[in-house]
């Protein structure tokens, strides 16, 4: 599949909103027809539960759902039993923290970074509070990337847990995940490493084996799937050593024993009815991405990012401060900025009145904004359905806003 300017035709959203310029894909991506259809087909044709019923319809639903798990596992180079369905990245990271909790005490250290979304920041601070472990926040560079030297220095003290993001949801910085983990492993082989892949999953290949992470978390709605579905990848050997942290139907072999006997991973971590339609739709979204190819996606997004950076700087000059790396190769599909004398909330509001959807605020990343001396930023985030014309209209309106407000 190619990426023509008419790529919007695969997304029903634009049929209903033909004049909307959607530049908020880092918050949530739009959904292609094939994904919408896959969930609709589950609701209309199957609509039964998984893992319990012995009648043919339930068995078919279970098979389709487990096929979805297999599709997701293959997509990130994992085994089926390493894929746990969750409600999203936030749920995945909170689950990982709860699973690890029995291993921690006041003797241990947890490391996260200033670059993190609150979803990969607050769960670790709360885990430290509950276990009396120490939580250390590793610094970032002036370009809004993880300071790998500082993180390596902290890793030398052998922390129990290190959690960091693959791609920043504010600066767009692409962190060298495999290199960071390799560096950490040489200094602290026993550390449990979690990678927040929410902003990476729809934009670049993820190879769980090459990364060598213990946990990887991501959300379906960042890769053209519905909200309310996500994945926690866990290294098989680690999952087999952990006890479940949620309890209910579907995850137990013997519930009446004095010591209940639980199923193997991943079922032991999936208590209750999962988001079946969401899991099936996530697999459909992955097939959609695979039909395009990451090379084409990355090329399209890099071209748009480079064009947007050039046009913003040309139009606004010294008035605009763009956050994040200068190199396009180190950037994802995100550009955050501030304009002298204009609050980001005013920019987002006025753009929105003209059908241009951007995000403004701290983007659930207060530590990063504090570290860079920012109170808020305006954020653009692109996807395959965006075009240079979208950027042209954005820049024209930003120039008009600046004339009005300064």
């Amino acid at each position: 599949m190619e990426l023509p300017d008419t790529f919007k035709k695969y997304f029903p959203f634009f049929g209903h909103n033909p004049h909307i310029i959607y530049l908020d894909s880092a918050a949530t991506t739009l959904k292609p027809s094939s994904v919408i259809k896959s969930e609709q087909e589950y609701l209309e044709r199957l609509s039964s539960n998984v893992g319990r019923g012995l009648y043919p319809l339930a068995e078919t639903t279970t098979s389709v759902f487990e096929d979805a798990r297999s599709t997701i596992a293959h997509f990130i180079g994992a085994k089926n039993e390493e894929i746990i369905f969750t409600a999203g990245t936030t749920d995945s990271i909170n689950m990982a923290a709860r699973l690890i909790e029995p291993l921690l005490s006041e003797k241990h250290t947890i490391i996260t970074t200033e670059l993190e979304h609150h979803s990969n920041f607050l769960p670790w601070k709360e885990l430290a509070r509950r276990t009396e472990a120490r939580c250390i926040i590793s610094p970032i560079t002036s370009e809004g990337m993880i300071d790998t030297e500082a993180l390596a220095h902290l890793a030398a003290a052998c922390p129990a847990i290190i959690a960091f993001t693959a791609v920043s949801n504010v600066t767009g910085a692409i962190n060298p995940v495999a290199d960071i983990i390799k560096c950490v492993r040489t200094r602290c082989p026993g550390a449990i490493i979690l990678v927040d892949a929410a902003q990476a999953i729809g934009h670049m290949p993820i190879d769980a084996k090459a990364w060598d992470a213990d946990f990887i978390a991501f959300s379906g709605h960042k890769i053209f799937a519905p909200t309310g579905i996500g994945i926690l990848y866990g290294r098989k050997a680690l999952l087999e050593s952990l006890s479940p942290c949620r309890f209910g139907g579907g995850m137990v072999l013997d519930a009446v024993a004095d010591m209940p006997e639980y199923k193997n991973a991943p079922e032991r971590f999936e208590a209750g009815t999962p988001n079946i339609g969401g899991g099936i739709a996530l697999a459909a979204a992955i097939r959609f991405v695979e039909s395009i190819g990451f090379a084409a996606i990355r090329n399209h997004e890099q071209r748009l990012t480079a064009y947007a950076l050039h046009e913003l700087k040309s139009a606004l000059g010294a008035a605009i401060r763009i956050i994040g790396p200068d190199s396009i190769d180190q950037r994802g599909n995100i550009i955050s900025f501030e304009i002298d004398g204009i609050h980001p909330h005013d920019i987002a509001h006025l753009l929105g009145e003209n059908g241009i959807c951007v995000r403004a605020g701290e983007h659930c990343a207060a530590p990063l904004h504090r570290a860079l001396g920012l109170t808020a930023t305006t954020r653009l985030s692109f996807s395959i359905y965006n075009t240079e014309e979208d950027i042209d209209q954005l820049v024209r309106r930003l120039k008009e806003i600046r004339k009005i407000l300064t």
Side-chain angles (χ1 to χ4, degrees):
M1 188 182 294
E2 297 179 354
L3 290 175
D5 289 344
T6 57
F7 203 76
K8 286 182 170 69
K9 68 183 180 183
Y10 295 103
F11 293 83
F13 173 90
F14 293 109
H16 297 284
N17 302 278
H19 303 298
I20 290 290
I21 296 174
Y22 189 76
L23 298 172
D24 197 22
S25 292
T28 193
T29 52
L30 304 179
K31 323 308 176 198
S33 298
S34 59
V35 171
I36 297 169
K37 182 180 179 181
S38 71
E39 187 164 26
Q40 183 178 356
E41 286 182 343
Y42 161 71
L43 294 171
E44 291 182 349
R45 299 185 180 186
L46 298 174
S47 203
S48 55
N49 213 327
V50 295
R52 298 165 179 80
L54 299 178
Y55 52 91
L57 181 62
E59 291 175 338
T60 297
T61 303
T62 298
S63 177
V64 172
F65 187 66
E66 290 305 320
D67 284 348
R69 191 193 305 272
S70 180
T71 296
I72 297 161
H74 182 266
F75 187 64
I76 65 167
K79 301 180 178 72
N80 289 11
E81 56 266 34
E82 295 175 319
I83 300 298
I84 301 169
F85 283 105
T86 68
T89 305
T90 301
D91 189 39
S92 293
I93 296 173
N94 276 275
M95 176 183 282
R98 286 292 185 180
L99 290 173
I100 296 168
E101 185 169 345
L103 307 179
L104 296 191
S105 70
E106 70 279 0
K107 299 177 182 179
H108 294 105
T109 300
I110 302 167
I111 296 176
T112 185
T113 86
E114 291 177 329
L115 197 62
E116 307 309 311
H117 188 283
H118 293 168
S119 295
N120 200 30
F121 188 82
L122 293 176
W124 305 115
K125 293 193 74 172
E126 286 298 310
L127 179 60
R129 180 185 61 79
R130 292 194 303 269
T131 61
E132 298 184 353
R134 185 183 180 196
C135 187
I136 298 176
I137 314 303
S138 188
I140 58 175
T141 68
S142 59
E143 285 195 318
M145 301 184 71
I146 291 174
D147 187 330
T148 54
E149 290 186 7
L151 184 59
H153 176 74
L154 291 171
C158 229
I161 301 166
I162 297 179
F164 67 93
T165 187
V167 178
S168 169
N169 74 308
V170 177
T171 69
I174 301 172
N175 292 304
V177 174
D179 290 343
I180 290 173
I181 293 177
K182 183 177 180 181
C183 177
V184 168
R185 295 284 188 216
T186 60
R187 289 161 173 77
C188 185
I192 295 174
I193 301 173
L194 179 142
V195 179
D196 174 357
Q199 297 297 338
I201 189 63
H203 307 280
M204 59 195 68
I206 291 175
D207 187 329
K209 291 181 180 178
W211 275 9
D212 194 27
D214 296 293
F215 289 113
I216 300 170
F218 62 88
S219 298
H221 74 102
K222 306 294 188 181
I223 184 175
F224 309 119
T227 55
I229 187 69
I231 296 297
L232 177 63
Y233 157 85
R235 187 195 300 274
K236 183 179 178 180
L238 176 59
L239 291 182
E240 288 176 343
S241 71
L242 297 174
S243 298
C245 61
R246 295 175 180 170
F247 304 90
M251 47 80 73
V252 65
L253 292 172
D254 186 350
V256 298
D258 290 339
M259 291 296 292
E261 183 182 355
Y262 298 107
K263 293 181 179 180
N264 294 326
E267 287 87 358
R268 69 189 301 163
F269 305 114
E270 294 178 343
T273 298
N275 183 350
I276 302 167
I280 293 169
L282 175 52
I286 285 172
R287 289 191 292 272
F288 176 74
V289 167
E290 289 176 331
S291 72
I292 301 166
F294 275 123
I297 291 172
R298 178 65 173 150
N299 181 66
H300 182 76
E301 292 178 348
Q302 275 193 307
R303 180 174 59 83
L304 287 178
T305 301
Y307 183 74
L309 289 170
H310 178 269
E311 294 301 303
L312 288 168
K313 292 174 182 177
S314 296
L316 298 167
I320 189 169
R321 176 189 176 189
I322 294 173
I323 314 304
D326 291 329
S327 169
I328 291 296
D329 290 337
Q330 291 181 311
R331 274 188 174 273
N333 62 317
I334 296 168
I335 299 174
S336 294
F337 62 88
E338 61 175 359
I339 297 175
D340 289 347
I342 310 176
H343 197 282
H345 289 173
D346 293 329
I347 294 173
H349 177 76
L350 292 171
L351 286 174
E353 287 187 340
N354 285 263
I356 303 173
C357 304
V358 302
R359 186 58 61 98
E362 289 185 331
H363 318 299
C364 299
L368 181 149
H369 281 77
R370 301 294 191 277
L372 296 179
L374 301 165
T375 56
T377 53
T378 304
R379 185 184 71 185
L380 320 173
S381 48
F382 311 113
S383 189
I384 54 177
Y385 36 69
N386 292 119
T387 65
E388 290 184 358
E389 175 58 26
D390 292 341
I391 296 166
D392 292 340
Q393 292 192 49
L394 165 76
V395 172
R396 282 196 294 269
R397 184 55 183 153
L398 284 174
K399 290 168 69 176
E400 293 170 358
I401 291 171
R402 186 164 179 246
K403 288 180 181 178
I404 293 169
L405 296 182
T406 59

